[in-house]
Amino acid sequence: MNPGGGGPMADLQSAYPSLGLTGNLISATFYIPHQLGFRSGAGWELRPRAGMSALFESFYYLSSPASPWKHTLVGWTGEIKHASDYFTLHVSAGPATSVSARLKQIAAPIPVNGVHSQTATVTEGIRVTKEDRQELEKRLARDRCKTVPVWLADNVEGEQESGSFWLRDQSRWRRYAESELYTACHYKQHEPRDGRKESTWWADYCHLNKEFANRIIQIYKPGDLVWIHDYHLMLLPSLLRHHFPRMHIGFFFHAPFPSSEFVRCLAHRKEVLGGMLGANMIGFQAYGYSRHFSSSCTRILGFESSPAGVDAYGAHVAVEVLPIGINAEEVEKMAFGDAEVEAKVTRLRQMYAGKKVVVGRDRLDSARGVAQKLLAFETFLERYPQWRDRVILIQVTSPTTVAEEKDDSEYKLAGKVAELVSRINGRFGSLSFMPVHHFPQYLPKDEYYALMRVADVGLITSIRDGMNTIGFEYVICQKEHHGTLILSEFSGTASSLDQAMQINPWDLAGVSASIDRALQMTAEEKRAQHAPLYRYVTTNTVQAWSVRFIDRLLTNLSSAEQSMGTPLLDKAALLTQYRRAKRRLFMLDYDGTLTPIVQEPSAAIPTDRVIRTLKTLAADPRNAVWIVSGRDQKFLGQWMGDISELGLSAEHGSFLREPGAEAWKNLAEKLDMSWQKEVLRIFQKYTEKTQGSFIERKRIALTWHYRRSDPEYGAFQAHECRKEIEATVVKKWDVEVMAGKANLEVRPSLLNKGEIAKRLVERYDEHHPPEFVLCMGDDFTDEDMFRSLHATKLPRDRVFTVTIGASTKGTLAAWHLLEPADVIATLAMLNRESASAKLANQAAALASEA
């Protein structure tokens, strides 16, 4: 593939010209596709890594001539073992390597040749020199999937001169992800701990993500695509975004994403969510997982979200549902094109002649539901005695690779499974027949595919998982036999394989009934069920998934580039006009503009920096500075009243306090305020219905706040409340209902911030209008000011209307700033300019006197 030439990449570059695509794609995943062995003086030994076959197939496709991308994989080396006699499988990058053989081994869902994949704990440590690392990096760079390894060492300080380091406790880099994130994703909670281990794990997790970021930065070029995978690297998108704000980043979360109630239990919940939001697009296996993510961002971080994505940090992060697939062609070739598989199929059919075979293959994790499967099979034999001695369950369990599961001595899942197998065989078996055949081991690939082919029923009872490829492989292997697939509705593939017989693994009676139904299905019924499943699996392959993800990422990136977003405030133009002007007018909102939005309105007090900045700004005689807020007189007087040069407008223009004055002027004193009683009654009704909401009574306006309520329920109740007020109060009185940030406010229609803005501009002489106007606000009420200023005859280059928030929000403002801190920084910049001008004038005056 030549990214700079013609062909598919040239078409992509032409279709997305604004992205400046280089044709390079960098994938980041926790592990590289090889298990490494090392012995000092003997070099490196490599063998295929067990598991994650679908993901590795994606990487190999992206590195193949069929893909238009120049692909590079960045991944951790994984725990490096001492090379030993049993670790003899060498993977060479030279011409002698059999690519097809290596692909078959890597694509196998379980390790081949009976090789155990459990990672041995290395206590004595491995010393790796700089030369050793360079040797491996050269080999991996020539691999079919060009790979750049990430090196994680326990101690580098004492070895810096030689470039060597020691690898001792290598599993430490997995502990936070697999002990904290994995458990939350699978709806598990720990017993209380003292937190010291978690602090160490978190520090290692941060270091891991930083090392990945450093490695990617070394090879990244502007215009490259970066695709990050899964929960081990949740901080990586934001770390990369910090270095390259315009980097094109996609993230795919392979695990099931939990509800916000579990996410909020994480001590570092904000950090991991914020880390993911550094991506331009985030993909999930199922819609439920994407919904949980968006809800977590709203409930925990306070960002607005929708099924389309999350508005965070001034940008829109797209959220997509893109279920992964498998390499169907390769699986079918291995299952039906191998003579060893055919021989074993014949042998198994002879062995189980006259029996119906139910097959389960799972990793021994609590989330895989092996215990539930055995309990359901026991219930099946109890309830349907006619199947006894006629049906067997063959259950293959491979050891878990998740640190949390291996360390969970309390759960003792392996012992529980063994106990259940013994109990079922004791109750329903005999000397000549055992209903459950349990194989706690890895199967060679030929035996695995042979078993899948002879099965009458495939039974998957996952309690919670993201992508379980077993169902896909079973469908392929049943191309001729059309065996029934029974699939847990909690599996990440349930929405994709919707034609399968879906069950609730906790409903033992329901699962047993499904087994009975599956065994009684006619050949025609089985064909009818299998046909759409086979069509889906062979169409929605891992190659198609890779293409779809990148296409959606490019589309979202292009949409963001082309959207009519509000541009960032041009501070150079602002400063230039400020210098020229002798008559300057400032209109500044308070909440969300000068101070951040907080849960409790009374807690939004200005900082010392805000007060000093406003005082300095208002002290310049050329500046007329007004705070135009929805706050009441008492609050503004308490926190801003000591700045005598400052003008104050309270309750959206209902009250004014002129600069230098102490008394407030009531602009609403002649208005009919009898509407307040009716509005108060409605607000009270919804306060009682909405936990966490409260009413703020001002002299003119009434505000109902729901910031402390559930965000979705609060927004729903606000919508209902507004409808009721508009159907009753608005029809009888001249008032309007304004929707702010987690609040509703009712006020007289004749009084709003737009009227105040108009009044302040009209104070200037027609022949001497303000030469500089800066108006800043963050919510719907401030749009009145922007609208009013645009309606004046002031030259556009003298008026700066600025909304605070994301560039994607709908607004009449010409510019935007991201947050209140940016507002204060901008005002401080203008103060420095005033101070410099004052010093320059004083110097000029002294020079003229001299």
Side-chain angles (χ1 to χ4, degrees):
M1 192 279 299
N2 181 10
M9 179 48 62
D11 294 339
L12 286 173
Q13 291 167 334
S14 176
Y16 304 101
S18 62
L19 302 183
L21 298 176
T22 61
N24 297 325
L25 171 62
I26 302 171
S27 293
T29 190
F30 186 51
Y31 288 120
I32 64 173
H34 303 293
Q35 175 68 59
L36 302 179
F38 177 75
R39 179 183 296 163
S40 182
W44 296 95
E45 295 181 339
L46 291 79
R47 68 179 175 92
R49 184 179 297 279
M52 300 189 295
S53 58
L55 182 58
F56 291 157
E57 285 288 351
S58 170
F59 298 149
Y60 284 112
Y61 163 72
L62 292 171
S63 301
S64 73
S67 168
W69 299 94
K70 184 178 180 181
H71 181 241
T72 302
L73 175 64
V74 176
W76 178 41
T77 59
E79 289 96 331
I80 299 172
K81 297 181 180 181
H82 283 287
S84 58
D85 293 338
Y86 74 86
F87 194 13
T88 57
L89 177 60
H90 295 259
V91 178
S92 169
T97 301
S98 171
V99 173
S100 62
R102 181 162 57 86
L103 271 178
K104 287 182 180 180
Q105 291 173 318
I106 291 176
I110 53 179
V112 302
N113 301 326
V115 178
H116 197 288
S117 81
Q118 285 281 70
T119 300
T121 302
V122 179
T123 55
E124 67 275 18
I126 298 176
R127 183 174 181 269
V128 182
T129 67
K130 182 178 180 180
E131 291 73 21
D132 294 328
R133 298 201 308 274
Q134 290 174 342
E135 176 195 343
L136 179 65
E137 289 179 9
K138 288 178 181 178
R139 284 182 71 176
L140 293 177
R142 297 193 304 268
D143 195 42
R144 184 185 176 195
C145 176
K146 178 184 176 183
T147 302
V148 176
V150 175
W151 298 93
L152 298 171
D154 294 279
N155 181 21
V156 180
E157 288 79 0
E159 303 284 342
Q160 287 182 351
E161 291 185 6
S162 64
S164 303
F165 54 67
W166 283 93
L167 304 174
R168 292 189 179 90
D169 183 13
Q170 299 182 68
S171 63
R172 62 186 287 188
W173 310 112
R174 297 190 286 115
R175 287 193 183 119
Y176 181 81
E178 296 181 1
S179 297
E180 298 293 317
L181 299 177
Y182 175 89
T183 53
C185 288
H186 292 83
Y187 289 75
K188 294 177 62 182
Q189 286 185 297
H190 298 294
E191 291 297 316
R193 297 170 173 169
D194 60 14
R196 284 178 290 186
K197 283 185 177 180
E198 286 82 353
S199 296
T200 302
W201 296 345
W202 172 251
D204 289 339
Y205 186 75
C206 293
H207 179 74
L208 160 76
N209 279 263
K210 288 176 182 176
E211 288 301 309
F212 265 82
N214 293 337
R215 204 63 160 136
I216 291 172
I217 289 168
Q218 291 172 6
I219 62 176
Y220 170 78
K221 297 176 182 178
D224 291 357
L225 287 190
V226 178
W227 187 356
I228 302 167
H229 294 270
D230 224 7
Y231 59 89
H232 292 89
L233 303 176
M234 292 174 76
L235 303 181
L236 184 54
S238 65
L239 292 173
L240 293 174
R241 182 72 61 201
H242 176 74
H243 286 277
F244 295 97
R246 297 186 66 82
M247 182 182 282
H248 307 323
I249 304 174
F251 187 97
F252 192 84
F253 199 87
H254 293 261
F257 199 91
S259 76
S260 60
E261 293 304 308
F262 273 81
V263 177
R264 70 196 305 177
C265 295
L266 294 171
H268 299 283
R269 58 196 182 182
K270 293 186 177 180
E271 291 90 334
V272 295
L273 287 174
M276 290 178 67
L277 290 171
N280 299 100
M281 187 187 89
I282 303 173
F284 294 91
Q285 176 71 21
Y287 172 71
Y289 304 156
S290 71
R291 179 171 54 84
H292 287 161
F293 172 74
S294 297
S295 176
S296 296
C297 292
T298 297
R299 295 170 185 273
I300 296 172
L301 300 180
F303 294 134
E304 294 184 7
S305 66
S306 69
V310 180
D311 292 323
Y313 308 118
H316 178 75
V317 180
V319 173
E320 299 280 351
V321 179
L322 297 162
I324 197 173
I326 62 172
N327 188 342
E329 182 180 354
E330 187 66 23
V331 171
E332 190 165 323
K333 183 190 301 182
M334 288 188 287
F336 292 93
D338 191 318
E340 293 181 4
V341 175
E342 292 294 339
K344 286 183 168 57
V345 167
T346 301
R347 199 171 308 135
L348 287 172
R349 284 178 175 159
Q350 292 171 349
M351 186 184 305
Y352 299 117
K355 308 294 184 186
K356 294 288 187 180
V357 179
V358 179
V359 167
R361 190 270 168 181
D362 304 275
R363 199 170 60 217
L364 198 58
D365 296 345
S366 56
R368 301 295 179 175
V370 178
Q372 283 78 3
K373 183 184 302 183
L374 292 169
L375 288 168
F377 190 70
E378 182 180 36
T379 303
F380 164 73
L381 295 176
E382 288 175 350
R383 293 193 169 211
Y384 304 95
Q386 68 271 23
W387 288 112
R388 296 175 189 175
D389 298 332
R390 297 172 55 198
V391 178
I392 62 169
L393 169 64
I394 300 178
Q395 176 63 44
V396 180
T397 55
S398 56
T400 182
T401 58
V402 179
E404 171 65 16
E405 297 282 351
K406 289 190 285 188
D407 296 340
D408 192 355
S409 59
E410 180 183 353
Y411 196 78
K412 300 179 181 177
L413 180 59
K416 184 175 182 179
V417 167
E419 179 185 344
L420 285 171
V421 171
S422 297
R423 188 174 81 192
I424 297 169
N425 286 335
R427 289 184 63 191
F428 303 104
S430 64
L431 289 175
S432 60
F433 175 76
M434 285 195 306
V436 179
H437 295 206
H438 181 217
F439 300 96
Q441 65 189 64
Y442 290 96
L443 290 183
K445 54 105 176 176
D446 53 352
E447 291 184 8
Y448 171 75
Y449 287 116
L451 184 61
M452 285 293 191
R453 284 182 57 183
V454 302
D456 296 286
V457 176
L459 183 57
I460 298 173
T461 54
S462 305
I463 295 172
R464 182 74 54 179
D465 67 15
M467 174 55 189
N468 189 332
T469 62
I470 304 301
F472 287 64
E473 291 155 353
Y474 178 78
V475 169
I476 294 293
C477 291
Q478 290 295 319
K479 181 179 72 168
E480 297 174 349
H481 189 49
H482 306 142
T484 305
L485 175 63
I486 301 177
L487 179 63
S488 168
E489 63 189 51
F490 299 112
S491 170
T493 59
S495 57
S496 300
L497 301 178
D498 57 346
Q499 295 295 318
M501 189 178 292
Q502 299 201 3
I503 48 94
N504 176 0
W506 299 101
D507 178 10
L508 302 183
V511 177
S512 65
S514 295
I515 297 174
D516 176 62
R517 171 77 182 101
L519 294 173
Q520 295 188 61
M521 290 177 69
T522 66
E524 184 57 38
E525 288 175 325
K526 290 193 291 185
R527 274 195 297 270
Q529 187 206 53
H530 183 267
L533 293 174
Y534 183 81
R535 186 164 53 251
Y536 178 87
V537 173
T538 54
T539 303
N540 295 275
T541 62
V542 70
Q543 294 90 339
W545 171 75
S546 304
V547 172
R548 280 199 307 271
F549 185 94
I550 294 173
D551 283 348
R552 291 305 305 157
L553 176 58
L554 293 175
T555 300
N556 282 297
L557 287 167
S558 180
S559 298
E561 291 284 337
Q562 297 172 10
S563 64
M564 300 300 292
T566 308
L568 191 66
L569 176 63
D570 186 342
K571 293 184 179 179
L574 182 80
L575 196 57
T576 299
Q577 189 58 36
Y578 183 81
R579 288 169 178 160
R580 294 173 181 167
K582 296 181 180 179
R583 295 177 298 277
R584 306 167 183 147
L585 175 61
F586 293 80
M587 289 173 275
L588 308 173
D589 174 44
Y590 183 77
D591 289 289
T593 302
L594 295 176
T595 62
I597 297 292
V598 294
Q599 290 287 340
E600 182 61 51
S602 61
I605 60 176
T607 63
D608 289 341
R609 187 187 182 201
V610 171
I611 296 296
R612 290 196 306 270
T613 301
L614 292 175
K615 188 175 181 65
T616 303
L617 191 69
D620 190 325
R622 291 170 291 185
N623 296 344
V625 183
W626 284 81
I627 305 298
V628 184
S629 174
R631 292 283 187 164
D632 60 20
Q633 302 157 268
K634 180 181 178 181
F635 184 92
L636 291 181
Q638 178 183 359
W639 296 107
M640 301 288 181
D642 291 339
I643 307 177
S644 59
E645 302 90 346
L646 202 61
L648 302 176
S649 171
E651 297 194 33
H652 302 294
S654 300
F655 298 91
L656 284 183
R657 200 194 79 169
E658 300 286 346
E662 294 185 0
W664 287 83
K665 183 178 180 181
N666 184 357
L667 302 183
E669 59 184 349
K670 295 181 180 181
L671 298 178
D672 179 7
M673 305 300 294
S674 57
W675 55 267
Q676 287 189 332
K677 183 177 180 180
E678 180 66 14
V679 171
L680 190 60
R681 182 190 66 79
I682 297 173
F683 276 175
Q684 186 62 45
K685 169 185 168 183
Y686 283 90
T687 300
E688 293 171 359
K689 294 170 64 176
T690 311
Q691 187 178 19
S693 64
F694 61 94
I695 302 169
E696 181 184 5
R697 299 188 65 173
K698 306 174 185 178
R699 287 187 59 184
I700 302 299
L702 291 175
T703 307
W704 183 66
H705 294 273
Y706 57 94
R707 293 178 189 173
R708 296 180 299 197
S709 305
D710 179 275
E712 294 180 8
Y713 186 64
F716 168 74
Q717 291 290 65
H719 177 72
E720 295 298 306
C721 181
R722 181 171 185 169
K723 282 200 306 183
E724 184 170 342
I725 293 173
E726 289 177 340
T728 56
V729 179
V730 173
K731 291 184 177 180
K732 292 192 289 185
W733 286 280
D734 192 11
V735 297
E736 61 182 344
V737 187
M738 306 296 294
K741 290 189 174 178
N743 67 66
L744 283 181
E745 181 162 296
V746 183
R747 67 188 187 199
S749 300
L750 297 176
L751 297 175
N752 57 63
K753 291 184 178 183
E755 289 298 316
I756 292 301
K758 179 181 177 183
R759 180 186 293 234
L760 294 178
V761 171
E762 289 177 348
R763 287 185 174 189
Y764 289 84
D765 183 271
E766 182 180 354
H767 301 290
H768 300 89
E771 299 170 315
F772 173 92
V773 179
L774 177 59
C775 180
M776 293 181 165
D778 72 306
D779 69 11
F780 186 79
T781 63
D782 301 306
E783 296 297 314
D784 291 333
M785 288 196 291
F786 304 150
R787 185 181 296 105
S788 180
L789 289 172
H790 292 326
T792 66
K793 296 180 180 179
L794 296 175
R796 288 290 171 264
D797 60 347
R798 298 183 183 183
V799 178
F800 295 85
T801 51
V802 183
T803 189
I804 312 305
S807 62
T808 53
K809 67 188 285 191
T811 181
L812 295 173
W815 308 96
H816 93 281
L817 288 173
L818 191 56
E819 56 186 356
D822 298 325
V823 173
I824 303 306
T826 300
L827 299 180
M829 176 191 71
L830 299 180
N831 283 337
R832 289 193 296 272
E833 173 57 30
S834 294
S836 299
K838 184 177 180 180
L839 289 174
N841 291 336
Q842 290 174 348
L846 290 173
S848 62
E849 291 176 4

Short mmCIF file of all heavy atoms in Angstrom, two decimals, residues 420-430 433-438:
data_model
loop_
_atom_site.label_atom_id
_atom_site.label_comp_id
_atom_site.label_asym_id
_atom_site.label_seq_id
_atom_site.Cartn_x
_atom_site.Cartn_y
_atom_site.Cartn_z
N LEU A 420 -20.42 -29.06 41.46
CA LEU A 420 -21.67 -29.19 40.71
C LEU A 420 -21.60 -30.35 39.72
O LEU A 420 -22.57 -31.11 39.56
CB LEU A 420 -21.96 -27.88 39.96
CG LEU A 420 -22.48 -26.72 40.81
CD1 LEU A 420 -22.51 -25.43 39.99
CD2 LEU A 420 -23.88 -27.03 41.34
N VAL A 421 -20.46 -30.51 39.05
CA VAL A 421 -20.31 -31.61 38.10
C VAL A 421 -20.45 -32.94 38.82
O VAL A 421 -21.16 -33.86 38.36
CB VAL A 421 -18.94 -31.52 37.39
CG1 VAL A 421 -18.67 -32.78 36.57
CG2 VAL A 421 -18.89 -30.29 36.49
N SER A 422 -19.80 -33.07 39.97
CA SER A 422 -19.88 -34.31 40.73
C SER A 422 -21.31 -34.58 41.19
O SER A 422 -21.79 -35.73 41.16
CB SER A 422 -18.94 -34.25 41.94
OG SER A 422 -17.60 -34.12 41.54
N ARG A 423 -22.00 -33.54 41.62
CA ARG A 423 -23.36 -33.72 42.12
C ARG A 423 -24.31 -34.17 41.00
O ARG A 423 -25.12 -35.09 41.19
CB ARG A 423 -23.87 -32.41 42.73
CG ARG A 423 -25.21 -32.56 43.44
CD ARG A 423 -25.56 -31.27 44.13
NE ARG A 423 -26.13 -30.28 43.21
CZ ARG A 423 -26.30 -28.99 43.53
NH1 ARG A 423 -25.91 -28.54 44.73
NH2 ARG A 423 -26.84 -28.16 42.66
N ILE A 424 -24.21 -33.54 39.84
CA ILE A 424 -25.08 -33.91 38.72
C ILE A 424 -24.81 -35.33 38.27
O ILE A 424 -25.73 -36.13 38.05
CB ILE A 424 -24.91 -32.91 37.56
CG1 ILE A 424 -25.35 -31.50 37.99
CG2 ILE A 424 -25.71 -33.36 36.34
CD1 ILE A 424 -24.98 -30.42 37.01
N ASN A 425 -23.51 -35.66 38.13
CA ASN A 425 -23.17 -37.02 37.69
C ASN A 425 -23.56 -38.05 38.75
O ASN A 425 -23.95 -39.18 38.41
CB ASN A 425 -21.67 -37.12 37.39
CG ASN A 425 -21.31 -36.43 36.08
OD1 ASN A 425 -22.16 -36.28 35.19
ND2 ASN A 425 -20.07 -35.99 35.95
N GLY A 426 -23.50 -37.67 40.03
CA GLY A 426 -23.92 -38.57 41.08
C GLY A 426 -25.42 -38.81 41.08
O GLY A 426 -25.88 -39.93 41.34
N ARG A 427 -26.19 -37.75 40.79
CA ARG A 427 -27.65 -37.87 40.81
C ARG A 427 -28.20 -38.57 39.57
O ARG A 427 -29.13 -39.38 39.66
CB ARG A 427 -28.28 -36.49 40.92
CG ARG A 427 -28.12 -35.81 42.26
CD ARG A 427 -28.88 -34.49 42.27
NE ARG A 427 -30.32 -34.71 42.10
CZ ARG A 427 -31.20 -33.72 41.86
NH1 ARG A 427 -30.77 -32.47 41.74
NH2 ARG A 427 -32.48 -34.01 41.73
N PHE A 428 -27.64 -38.26 38.41
CA PHE A 428 -28.26 -38.71 37.16
C PHE A 428 -27.39 -39.65 36.34
O PHE A 428 -27.80 -40.09 35.27
CB PHE A 428 -28.63 -37.49 36.30
CG PHE A 428 -29.55 -36.52 36.99
CD1 PHE A 428 -29.07 -35.32 37.51
CD2 PHE A 428 -30.90 -36.82 37.15
CE1 PHE A 428 -29.92 -34.43 38.15
CE2 PHE A 428 -31.75 -35.93 37.79
CZ PHE A 428 -31.26 -34.73 38.30
N GLY A 429 -26.19 -39.95 36.84
CA GLY A 429 -25.28 -40.82 36.09
C GLY A 429 -25.30 -42.25 36.57
O GLY A 429 -26.02 -42.62 37.51
N SER A 430 -24.48 -43.04 35.93
CA SER A 430 -24.35 -44.46 36.29
C SER A 430 -22.95 -44.91 35.91
O SER A 430 -22.13 -44.11 35.42
CB SER A 430 -25.40 -45.29 35.56
OG SER A 430 -25.19 -45.24 34.15
N PHE A 433 -22.77 -44.33 32.20
CA PHE A 433 -23.18 -43.04 31.60
C PHE A 433 -22.96 -41.89 32.58
O PHE A 433 -23.32 -41.99 33.76
CB PHE A 433 -24.66 -43.10 31.20
CG PHE A 433 -25.19 -41.79 30.68
CD1 PHE A 433 -24.89 -41.36 29.40
CD2 PHE A 433 -25.97 -40.97 31.51
CE1 PHE A 433 -25.37 -40.14 28.94
CE2 PHE A 433 -26.46 -39.75 31.04
CZ PHE A 433 -26.16 -39.35 29.76
N MET A 434 -22.36 -40.80 32.06
CA MET A 434 -22.21 -39.57 32.84
C MET A 434 -22.84 -38.43 32.05
O MET A 434 -22.45 -38.19 30.90
CB MET A 434 -20.74 -39.25 33.10
CG MET A 434 -20.09 -40.13 34.15
SD MET A 434 -18.51 -39.46 34.73
CE MET A 434 -17.65 -39.25 33.17
N PRO A 435 -23.80 -37.70 32.63
CA PRO A 435 -24.45 -36.63 31.88
C PRO A 435 -23.58 -35.41 31.63
O PRO A 435 -23.79 -34.68 30.67
CB PRO A 435 -25.66 -36.29 32.75
CG PRO A 435 -25.31 -36.74 34.11
CD PRO A 435 -24.44 -37.93 33.95
N VAL A 436 -22.60 -35.18 32.50
CA VAL A 436 -21.72 -34.01 32.32
C VAL A 436 -20.29 -34.48 32.13
O VAL A 436 -19.74 -35.21 32.97
CB VAL A 436 -21.79 -33.06 33.54
CG1 VAL A 436 -20.85 -31.87 33.32
CG2 VAL A 436 -23.21 -32.57 33.76
N HIS A 437 -19.70 -34.06 31.01
CA HIS A 437 -18.29 -34.32 30.75
C HIS A 437 -17.57 -32.97 30.86
O HIS A 437 -17.73 -32.11 30.00
CB HIS A 437 -18.08 -34.92 29.36
CG HIS A 437 -18.68 -36.27 29.20
ND1 HIS A 437 -18.20 -37.19 28.28
CD2 HIS A 437 -19.71 -36.90 29.83
CE1 HIS A 437 -18.91 -38.30 28.36
NE2 HIS A 437 -19.84 -38.13 29.29
N HIS A 438 -16.81 -32.82 31.93
CA HIS A 438 -16.15 -31.54 32.18
C HIS A 438 -14.66 -31.66 31.87
O HIS A 438 -13.97 -32.55 32.38
CB HIS A 438 -16.34 -31.13 33.65
CG HIS A 438 -15.70 -29.83 33.98
ND1 HIS A 438 -15.08 -29.57 35.19
CD2 HIS A 438 -15.59 -28.68 33.25
CE1 HIS A 438 -14.62 -28.34 35.19
NE2 HIS A 438 -14.91 -27.78 34.03
#
